[in-house]
Amino acid sequence: MNALETTGLGMRHRRTWALRDCSVAVPAGRVAALVGPNGAGKTTLLRLAVGLLTPTTGQVRIFGRPARESGERTAFVAQNKPLYTGFRVSEMLRFGRGLNPRWDDAAARRRLTELGIPLDRRIGRLSGGQRTQVALTVALAKRPDLLMLDEPLADLDPLARDDVARGLMGAVAETGLTVLLSSHVVSELEGVCDWLVVVNGGRVQVSGDIDELMARHSLLTGPAETADALAARLPVVSRSGAGRQATLLVRDDAPPPDPRWSARPVTLEEMVLAYLRTPDAAALPRPALSPAH
Amino acid sequence: MIEFRLDRGSGVATYLQLVQQVRHALRLGVLQPGDRLPTAKEVVARLAINPNTVLKAYRELEREGLVAGRPGLGTFVQRSLGQTSMDDRARLRAELVRWVRDGRQAGLTLEDLEALIASVLTDSFRQEIA
Amino acid sequence: MFWLTWRQHRVQILVTGGLLLALGVLMLVSALRATAYLAEYAPPGCPGPAVSCSAVNQVVYTDHYRPVFLVFGLLPIFGAALIGVFWGAPLLAAEFERGTNALAWTQAVPIRRWLTVKLGMLGALVAGAALALSAMVGAWRNIFSGVTGDVTMEPGNFTITGIVPAAWWLFAFAVGAAAGTVTRRTLAAMAVTVAVICLALPVVFSSRPSYAEPVRVVTADRSSVARGGGALVRESWVDPSGRELTAPPPPPCPLPAGVDTRSDRAQLLGEECLVGSGYRYAVYYHPVDRFWRFQLTETAILLTGALAFGALAVVRTLRHRG
């Protein structure tokens, strides 16, 4: 069962396409990273998935149901962590309680107490990290099956970032909910996410299990004069190098056929960057996604 | 109990890092049969790591017969590692010493040797994983 | 949802309630003082239209009625504008502006219900406040009915009497809400709201006389018509043969020596002379008994407008909720 599935999803703002022909799936129970440069369509995809935007083409399915009928099963934390700044923290909880039948007030209070966030503090007076934690608490107390977060770790200091990531992972461990979070900082996702979706220029470039993707790619280093011959035999994602040495990032896990070449594993960041630099390359699941039914 | 670390950006899949750390602890005797591994929740609370990854690592260890999960209780160590005989180790070490001496005579520096070993190890284990 | 609506808009609700209370106290004090004055100084049978009452009528009118009337006489314009600006405009614009639309409309409660409760509850409060104000004004004005006669058809009074105030306020509220979905900025929505209301006020005011065909009375004493209350539409001269004239006829009698032709006295003498020569006034007006018919007509017009703007707000919010 896919928690999120889009088919042929497109969104046009006036004349430009913010997202085009996007077919992507996130299996239930995953913590998926939505990665891409700024303006690649990450926010648009999330806002379509949560029903805030109406797609120009295609459709979004949340556990098989249309996005706009899934308000009870999804939760969303937008990029600026919107909360009512004049409210007290306890009033934000009351807001959530009033608008969500599955609301878990005890868990929300426990979580905030553990984080040391006073319930009578006004939202406007919280620090950035605390504000993110309150937004996350409100989202989690809905007891969603799919939680979507737009750049949840951006503009947080390293300590707050670690706290938020641990809070999020703790919730996954406790409830097994599916998470889709967007980020343009790849390094902060390692260890956190197990599913990767790379969006670039409004299109999906990579989609799949992170461990599998990393095992299927390697970084080959060897003499530059033989690079062309090697590149002809292997699916090269990106190519770099200076002088006599060339480096190829290939979608292949066999050892290099040429003994003068050495292979080493890629990091998540290297792999993502390689794809982003080569917008034509793609690593999408084989076989093609099953259409929604 | 074992405390996991994470080397982000090492290029080694996170679950493999956990597997390797458990194996290492078994080899060193830090973990012994009967010991309980931390639950996914406990690991997550310390490491900001995906609980699915922890479970995946435990499944891998289970597949290797090193640990076993007992529903409702946790995951427990089944057997220890490091059973290779002292003779084998001594023999391998002697071979490596000879190899290093050859290398140095051929003019290789410490870094050259390290690079060579690392590349051979990587290639060798990558094939195994794949 | 009800708590949320109260929590998000309690400032407006409390301030509006406070203002109504202050106006109520003002009118209560004024009514008590006027009653006390009349009990002490009014001759028997006064206040009333009798000539003997004119002195006391004059005093009560200038000292007790007019000062208070000036305070709320501007309410038709300001009241509606305030409602539109502070109740209507921020309702949706503030959510868009602060990005809280992404919070409010991604909860389990569907956006349609959110809109229904917000528009319904706040709309009911707005209408209730307007009706409360109109009831207070009505009760206060009753004290002065002997002094002023029935003034409910006068433009200024008509707008703050009966059910029309509620229609105006609801209209302004809907305009504000719709403006918020267009500008998505509170301040800009407020400006647009004021502009639309400023445009609507003269349009409605000037079309009010045509809600019905005015009554035509041909009379020699046009003040007799005014005394009965009602709203004057226009008047013209009718010549002795019964033909209505478009321009005032030249007076047939010569002016007495020493009277300037442009003076008020010359005007008065000229009119007296015309009446004496068989000319009459044709007065077109809406009598007081049309009050409720006019109230219902204007209410229907404004509520139609309110519904149109409300529908615009809802449709735009549903379409562009992101």
Side-chain angles (χ1 to χ4, degrees):
Chain A
M1 182 70 169
N2 285 327
L4 171 77
E5 191 168 296
T6 72
T7 33
L9 196 63
M11 180 75 206
R12 195 175 50 200
H13 291 300
R14 299 204 170 83
R15 314 209 82 178
T16 55
W17 288 86
L19 195 70
R20 199 160 196 179
D21 194 25
C22 168
S23 295
V24 65
V26 176
R30 293 289 191 159
V31 180
L34 182 59
V35 174
N38 288 329
K42 303 190 295 286
T43 297
T44 305
L45 178 54
L46 287 175
R47 290 192 161 237
L48 284 164
V50 84
L52 277 170
L53 295 176
T54 316
T56 314
T57 63
Q59 55 174 337
V60 185
R61 297 245 152 199
I62 308 285
F63 296 101
R65 312 260 309 141
R68 289 212 167 145
E69 293 168 22
S70 307
E72 213 168 300
R73 300 192 72 179
T74 58
F76 180 52
V77 178
Q79 185 163 6
N80 45 359
K81 289 105 187 179
L83 293 170
Y84 294 108
T85 44
F87 280 30
R88 294 179 192 285
V89 174
S90 57
E91 289 173 323
M92 276 317 307
L93 297 188
R94 188 159 179 192
F95 159 87
R97 192 163 73 230
L99 270 66
N100 297 285
R102 284 162 65 168
W103 183 261
D104 188 346
D105 208 55
R109 279 166 193 277
R110 196 168 55 240
R111 189 163 193 279
L112 292 172
T113 311
E114 277 167 17
L115 291 163
I117 297 174
L119 290 178
D120 59 352
R121 182 76 50 87
R122 290 213 183 269
I123 298 294
R125 307 195 51 184
L126 296 175
S127 71
Q130 287 177 322
R131 202 183 150 124
T132 305
Q133 290 286 17
V134 172
L136 185 59
T137 304
V138 170
L140 288 172
K142 280 186 74 177
R143 285 196 274 180
D145 298 316
L146 170 61
L147 170 61
M148 288 175 268
L149 309 104
D150 197 356
E151 301 278 1
L153 305 179
D155 55 66
L156 291 183
D157 64 66
L159 198 62
R161 196 175 296 200
D162 187 59
D163 285 345
V164 170
R166 273 188 303 148
L168 190 59
M169 292 301 101
V172 173
E174 238 165 85
T175 65
L177 85 163
T178 312
V179 177
L180 174 62
L181 63 94
S182 77
S183 177
H184 61 273
V185 186
V186 182
S187 54
E188 69 188 17
L189 302 174
E190 255 188 303
V192 172
C193 298
D194 54 18
W195 191 267
L196 178 70
V197 177
V198 176
V199 208
N200 196 8
R203 289 171 189 276
V204 176
Q205 243 189 311
V206 179
S207 169
D209 180 276
I210 289 184
D211 288 341
E212 267 176 39
L213 283 167
M214 283 171 67
R216 261 170 50 203
H217 289 76
S218 43
L219 206 60
L220 306 182
T221 313
E225 67 269 19
T226 58
D228 285 335
L230 196 65
R233 290 159 59 187
L234 294 171
V236 175
V237 179
S238 82
R239 187 173 170 163
S240 60
R244 272 197 287 275
Q245 180 167 286
T247 302
L248 302 177
L249 197 146
V250 295
R251 193 164 58 252
D252 191 79
D253 50 8
D258 185 329
R260 285 171 294 175
W261 285 74
S262 69
R264 70 166 181 82
V266 290
T267 66
L268 182 60
E269 192 164 13
E270 284 168 340
M271 184 177 72
V272 169
L273 287 178
Y275 277 100
L276 292 182
R277 288 214 178 89
T278 323
D280 294 336
L284 296 168
R286 316 152 287 190
L289 290 164
S290 63
H293 36 77
Chain B
M1 190 182 283
I2 185 169
E3 193 160 327
F4 291 113
R5 285 164 292 106
L6 205 57
D7 184 4
R8 291 177 210 265
S10 65
V12 180
T14 312
Y15 85 97
L16 275 182
Q17 291 188 33
L18 302 186
V19 168
Q20 283 163 5
Q21 282 168 38
V22 170
R23 286 213 202 100
H24 193 69
L26 288 171
R27 216 167 265 125
L28 294 177
V30 175
L31 277 178
Q32 300 207 334
D35 284 354
R36 188 174 69 86
L37 293 182
T39 63
K41 245 178 94 175
E42 286 164 344
V43 178
V44 163
R46 260 204 307 271
L47 264 189
I49 182 186
N50 188 327
N52 298 339
T53 308
V54 181
L55 297 176
K56 186 172 177 182
Y58 286 8
R59 273 200 306 276
E60 175 68 21
L61 290 164
E62 227 170 300
R63 207 178 51 80
E64 293 174 13
L66 295 175
V67 304
R70 290 184 217 156
L73 292 173
T75 306
F76 293 86
V77 175
Q78 288 292 94
R79 62 181 180 85
S80 54
L81 275 174
Q83 303 306 324
T84 44
S85 73
M86 289 316 278
D87 290 353
D88 281 348
R89 290 195 170 211
R91 180 177 53 78
L92 287 166
R93 191 172 194 287
E95 279 175 26
L96 198 54
V97 167
R98 206 163 38 244
W99 179 82
V100 169
R101 206 186 303 121
D102 284 356
R104 293 186 68 179
Q105 277 168 8
L108 272 66
T109 65
L110 174 65
E111 280 169 11
D112 293 333
L113 292 169
E114 277 175 353
L116 261 177
I117 292 173
S119 94
V120 168
L121 284 177
T122 313
D123 286 358
S124 164
F125 282 101
R126 276 179 74 78
Q127 285 170 64
E128 193 175 273
I129 292 156
Chain C
M1 235 358 267
F2 289 101
W3 173 82
L4 178 68
T5 311
W6 154 252
R7 177 61 188 82
Q8 283 193 283
H9 304 280
R10 63 184 183 189
V11 174
Q12 291 96 313
I13 295 171
L14 291 176
V15 168
T16 307
L19 284 176
L20 283 184
L21 200 66
L23 272 173
V25 169
L26 175 72
M27 285 189 273
L28 185 65
V29 169
S30 153
L32 289 175
R33 286 183 53 205
T35 314
Y37 181 87
L38 285 170
E40 198 167 337
Y41 299 105
C46 289
V51 181
S52 58
C53 295
S54 65
V56 74
N57 284 355
Q58 188 64 37
V59 171
V60 172
Y61 180 81
T62 47
D63 288 1
H64 296 277
Y65 178 82
R66 216 178 51 173
V68 178
F69 181 78
L70 286 179
V71 171
F72 64 75
L74 291 170
L75 275 179
I77 297 142
F78 278 108
L82 288 176
I83 291 293
V85 163
F86 291 110
W87 287 62
L91 178 65
L92 295 160
E95 301 279 353
F96 286 119
E97 189 170 40
R98 296 176 193 157
T100 43
N101 57 331
L103 178 72
W105 303 331
T106 55
Q107 305 299 316
V109 163
I111 186 168
R112 282 171 191 279
R113 185 168 148 70
W114 189 97
L115 282 168
T116 309
V117 172
K118 282 256 189 172
L119 290 172
M121 185 171 153
L122 295 177
L125 284 172
V126 163
L131 291 177
L133 177 65
S134 129
M136 289 195 302
V137 170
W140 172 80
R141 206 174 33 214
N142 264 346
I143 305 290
F144 300 92
S145 58
V147 174
T148 59
D150 193 333
V151 290
T152 48
M153 281 298 273
E154 282 176 4
N157 271 297
F158 183 84
T159 317
I160 45 168
T161 313
I163 53 174
V164 157
W168 266 111
W169 286 18
L170 279 175
F171 174 76
F173 175 62
V175 167
T181 65
V182 176
T183 65
R184 293 178 162 232
R185 291 278 176 280
T186 308
L187 214 58
M190 288 175 167
V192 171
T193 307
V194 169
V196 173
I197 291 171
C198 286
L199 219 67
L201 276 167
V203 169
V204 174
F205 278 22
S206 64
S207 64
R208 195 177 285 158
S210 40
Y211 291 170
E213 197 59 37
V215 172
R216 180 176 187 262
V217 174
V218 177
T219 175
D221 178 14
R222 58 176 176 176
S223 62
S224 68
V225 178
R227 269 200 299 277
L232 179 73
V233 180
R234 64 185 168 89
E235 49 188 6
S236 52
W237 284 101
V238 178
D239 70 10
S241 66
R243 204 158 47 85
E244 210 171 307
L245 306 172
T246 48
C253 334
L255 281 173
V259 176
D260 186 354
T261 48
R262 285 163 303 186
S263 68
D264 286 351
R265 181 158 167 69
Q267 175 92 13
L268 204 67
L269 287 171
E271 286 175 12
E272 272 174 15
C273 167
L274 281 168
V275 171
S277 325
Y279 285 85
R280 292 290 177 266
Y281 298 103
V283 181
Y284 292 84
Y285 79 113
H286 294 296
V288 169
D289 59 15
R290 288 188 173 175
F291 174 74
W292 280 109
R293 178 177 166 189
F294 271 50
Q295 282 272 320
L296 291 174
T297 309
E298 188 154 319
T299 301
I301 291 171
L302 289 170
L303 284 188
T304 308
L307 278 178
F309 278 106
L312 179 73
V314 168
V315 167
R316 283 193 59 88
T317 307
L318 290 178
R319 283 218 187 120
H320 309 284
R321 63 185 78 169

